[in-house]
Amino acid sequence: MAPLLKDELDIVIPTIRNLDFLEMWRPFFQPYHLIIVQDGDPTKKINVPEGFDYELYNRNDINRILGPRASCISFKDSACRCFGYMVSKKKYVFTIDDDCFVAKDPSGKDIDALAKHIQNLLCPSTPLFFNTLYDPYAEGADFVRGYPFSLREGLPTAVSHGLWLNIPDYDAPTQLVKPRERNGRYVDAVMTIPKGTLFPMCGMNLAFDRELIGPAMYFGLMGDGQPIGRYDDMWAGWCVKVICDHLGLGVKTGLPYIWHSKASNPFVNLKKEYKGIFWQEDIIPFFQAATLTKDCDTVQKCYIALSHQVREKLGKIDPYFAKLADAMVTWIEAWDTLNPKEGAEANGKPTKGK
């Protein structure tokens, strides 16, 4: 049987090291095209195992392809992965970190995380009315008594957010308080995040419909030269959720699990997160109150409108947010340049491998 969506999905991986972890994923990833975004020193050679079809972009490629607009792509931060979303020409994207391995389900069988993400994305979401039996479209489940028949068709799924066994995705203070905590709890469930509810999106095990929501998947301006890090995926998640709610799209979370192999240094993380821990107490209410007008009928229009609100409301907290608002606009300009409606190819030729 041909792999699901073989010609319609790219796998995006940010990295600073050799990609030996791909060996474990070979049975699942090898049929697909990989877009590798090399962070940090562009002169460092990244080794990719034989037999994978890939493109490898480093900072020099990003600067050459985007020119002055390359300023919107983070440096020395995994947020650089969103450049891969921009240059992809596929309908779907799956992104994973290079310290994530194949997990096993309770029966001991290897979990094909990519296949489950695809299943989530090809199946409707139910953000308008919560089904207490989780995903009503899953095998062995259905809509429960009292669920309106008019809503059972569901809405298109834009995002599939997977979870992690072993090392949980904790912030630095929680890491410091619970240094030995590991997640061994496998919950066999997928649920739609209700309309009007935000969530902390993690980019290490994530898939999305690029055609439906791609331009909003900007992982912010983080890392080198910025006052904050480790909020890149969450920033994208907050923007994405507001836009999905406005445009009538769904976000699912739960299965699939991956095995997160190593915890990052909590002291390094605390330095990156420090300002964000304070700022998020204003950022969350901002997104909870954000509204978009009827004329915001595309993801790009929604995102530009959000950028104006970021400048106006969050710019009062710190000048960084005015800079971030500018970067949001630059990101959309760069996206539209590389993804014209006619579908013309982006310029620039990265390193390719087979």
Side-chain angles (χ1 to χ4, degrees), residues 292-308:
L292 297 166
T293 57
K294 283 184 178 179
D295 62 319
C296 292
D297 55 1
T298 67
V299 176
Q300 283 94 328
K301 288 179 183 177
C302 290
Y303 203 72
I304 294 296
L306 266 182
S307 76
H308 296 328

Side-chain angles (χ1 to χ4, degrees), residues 27-99:
F28 308 113
F29 289 2
Q30 192 158 4
Y32 295 90
H33 181 66
L34 311 182
I35 298 177
I36 301 161
V37 184
Q38 177 181 342
D39 195 19
D41 182 2
T43 64
K44 181 181 177 182
K45 180 168 172 50
I46 298 288
N47 290 321
V48 182
E50 291 289 325
F52 286 93
D53 172 35
Y54 70 90
E55 299 168 69
L56 171 62
Y57 294 90
N58 61 34
R59 193 72 203 186
N60 293 338
D61 297 315
I62 294 171
N63 290 340
R64 176 171 48 82
I65 292 167
L66 294 186
R69 292 182 177 133
S71 62
C72 72
I73 305 297
S74 300
F75 184 58
K76 293 189 177 176
D77 192 280
S78 68
C80 67
R81 79 178 77 214
C82 62
F83 177 77
Y85 310 159
M86 184 187 287
V87 296
S88 170
K89 297 300 170 189
K90 305 288 176 61
K91 177 172 170 54
Y92 301 99
V93 165
F94 169 58
T95 186
I96 187 170
D97 284 2
D98 61 12
D99 62 349

